[in-house]
Amino acid sequence: VLGNQDYVEKALYGLNKDGSAGFLKQLDQLFSPDGYYSEGQYYQRYALMPFVLFADAVERNEPERELFAYRDGVLLKAIYSTIHLSYAGLFFPINDAIKDKGIDTVELCHGVAIAWGLTGDASLLSIAQAQNHIVLTDRGRALAAAMEEVEAQAFPFDSRMFRDGAQGDEGALSVLRSGPEPGHQAVVFKATAQGMGHGHFDKLAWIFYDNGNEVVKDYGAARFLNVVDKFGGHYLPENKTWAKQTIAHNTLVVDGQSHFQGELREAEKHHPEILAFEVGEEIEVTAAGMANAYEDVEFSRAMFLMKQDVFARAAVLDVVKATGSEEHQFDLPLYFSGQITDVS
């Protein structure tokens, strides 16, 4: 807009223009090689708009920079992974998520329009149909025209692992799906890094979906838009006392204490180790281990999605192993429908 090339270089490479800061540095640090954003998909959709609009502006004016090809196309991967990390149109509610946010958010509407313009991927048209909203940009106009002229394809929802960390070596969020069809069973296994201040103390927690519903719930995602008892969707006082703590999640609690004693700085130093991720026709498995959440206890968890004909619908097998040198109290919560709204 200003025609000032010096500002462009500073925006991309930092005030010193040496790459130690700026847009490209953020792309290096905040997204994993799979396009996973460190704070989880709720904040990924929030961060998506400035990233993709900025990159699209550069693409229009200086396409030779090829920002959408940077880091093996990490920005396009971020758009696709935001879609993949959803079920029945809603994002998986991990960390400080608002539970009724989904793929129809305006940030992802921009992302889908831009991704369509860059790729022409017909599976994005089915997502645009589900969004039922077109952004008022030339990218949006092109997408609207394509929806009239091109046959949409189903988006390829499948089982996959999204590595965490800038180098992809700080755990992962794994999704096991029984199939791509609506109403399929899905297991979400959270073996990610802490996720900065929005992260919860919920290493190796899981959520289960079936028939379009969240069946085994994540209680830690306690925010709801326009619900008075939940502070209208704002950050809850409950976050520190309940929602962010380990006991509010489907994972192992030792001696009644949260992972890392509820200390963010300590939690930021550690992440789970991915032990397995395999997808087969009859069995899918994801597994990880956590060594530093407690001083004397290490634990691991393996989640199996069993799709054999003996089951009317896919079944989940959950195996947890914990070891320590002393005597400890183990609690393994498993939450179902309902929400805590008031306590004395």
Side-chain angles (χ1 to χ4, degrees):
V1 173
L2 298 178
N4 187 322
Q5 193 63 28
D6 183 54
Y7 287 175
V8 173
E9 297 297 319
K10 287 179 177 178
L12 288 169
Y13 301 108
L15 294 180
N16 296 327
K17 295 186 285 188
D18 60 359
S20 62
F23 184 74
L24 295 181
K25 187 69 172 180
Q26 289 186 331
L27 286 184
D28 289 339
Q29 292 184 334
L30 293 178
F31 292 96
S32 82
D34 297 329
Y36 180 80
Y37 181 71
S38 59
E39 293 178 305
Q41 56 274 12
Y42 173 76
Y43 290 95
Q44 179 155 324
R45 64 91 205 166
Y46 182 75
L48 201 61
M49 193 150 88
F51 275 106
V52 298
L53 290 183
F54 186 100
D56 199 37
V58 176
E59 182 77 13
R60 297 165 189 274
N61 291 279
E62 298 181 1
E64 64 276 8
R65 291 188 186 268
E66 298 185 324
L67 281 196
F68 282 100
Y70 184 75
R71 279 193 70 198
D72 194 29
V74 71
L75 269 181
L76 276 174
K77 289 180 180 179
I79 295 171
Y80 276 89
S81 66
T82 307
I83 300 170
H84 273 289
L85 294 172
S86 67
Y87 182 90
L90 296 178
F91 296 131
F92 296 138
I94 64 171
N95 296 338
D96 287 344
I98 291 180
K99 295 201 72 165
D100 46 4
K101 283 285 188 179
I103 61 173
D104 60 348
T105 57
V106 67
E107 299 91 346
L108 192 54
C109 289
H110 277 285
V112 168
I114 290 171
W116 162 258
L118 293 169
T119 68
D121 180 358
S123 74
L124 292 172
L125 299 181
S126 64
I127 299 300
Q129 290 173 350
Q131 290 173 328
N132 197 32
H133 176 79
I134 296 293
V135 290
L136 298 179
T137 65
D138 58 342
R139 293 288 198 192
R141 182 198 59 79
L143 177 61
M147 292 172 69
E148 295 292 328
E149 301 166 359
V150 180
E151 183 177 356
Q153 297 179 4
F155 190 82
F157 288 105
D158 58 7
S159 300
R160 59 178 64 199
M161 181 174 69
F162 297 87
R163 292 172 293 170
D164 197 359
Q167 306 304 316
D169 57 359
E170 297 182 21
L173 186 71
S174 296
V175 184
L176 305 179
R177 299 182 189 263
S178 64
E181 72 283 349
H184 64 267
Q185 292 87 6
V187 174
V188 181
F189 182 53
K190 187 171 184 271
T192 62
Q194 183 65 18
M196 297 185 279
H198 290 299
H200 287 194
F201 302 102
D202 59 347
K203 294 293 178 278
L204 312 193
W206 68 295
I207 313 171
F208 179 65
Y209 294 85
D210 183 27
N211 198 29
N213 299 301
E214 185 185 3
V215 178
V216 176
K217 293 178 173 287
D218 185 296
Y219 262 66
R223 297 168 58 201
F224 295 78
L225 283 177
N226 302 319
V227 176
V228 175
D229 285 357
K230 293 297 185 181
F231 205 28
H234 296 270
Y235 296 110
L236 296 156
E238 176 190 339
N239 256 32
K240 294 180 180 179
T241 60
W242 170 260
K244 195 170 283 193
Q245 307 308 314
T246 305
I247 191 60
H249 303 81
N250 301 308
T251 190
L252 182 70
V253 183
V254 178
D255 298 331
Q257 299 296 314
S258 284
H259 297 168
F260 312 107
Q261 299 294 305
E263 293 292 335
L264 174 61
R265 290 185 179 180
E266 185 63 25
E268 285 282 300
K269 300 175 184 177
H270 308 286
H271 56 79
E273 177 188 0
I274 302 302
L275 303 175
F277 182 83
E278 298 287 341
V279 174
E281 290 187 7
E282 292 192 335
I283 299 177
E284 301 181 2
V285 60
T286 178
M290 191 69 227
N292 304 104
Y294 294 106
E295 186 173 336
D296 183 55
V297 174
E298 298 183 5
F299 66 102
S300 59
R301 189 171 214 160
M303 309 288 306
F304 299 85
L305 188 64
M306 320 285 284
K307 300 182 291 183
Q308 292 95 330
D309 292 339
V310 68
F311 300 112
R313 294 175 69 79
V316 177
L317 175 64
D318 172 26
V319 181
V320 179
K321 178 183 179 181
T323 59
S325 62
E326 301 174 3
E327 187 174 291
H328 296 280
Q329 172 186 311
F330 289 166
D331 290 296
L332 191 62
L334 185 68
Y335 289 110
F336 289 89
S337 296
Q339 289 290 329
I340 292 177
T341 59
D342 191 43
V343 294
S344 66

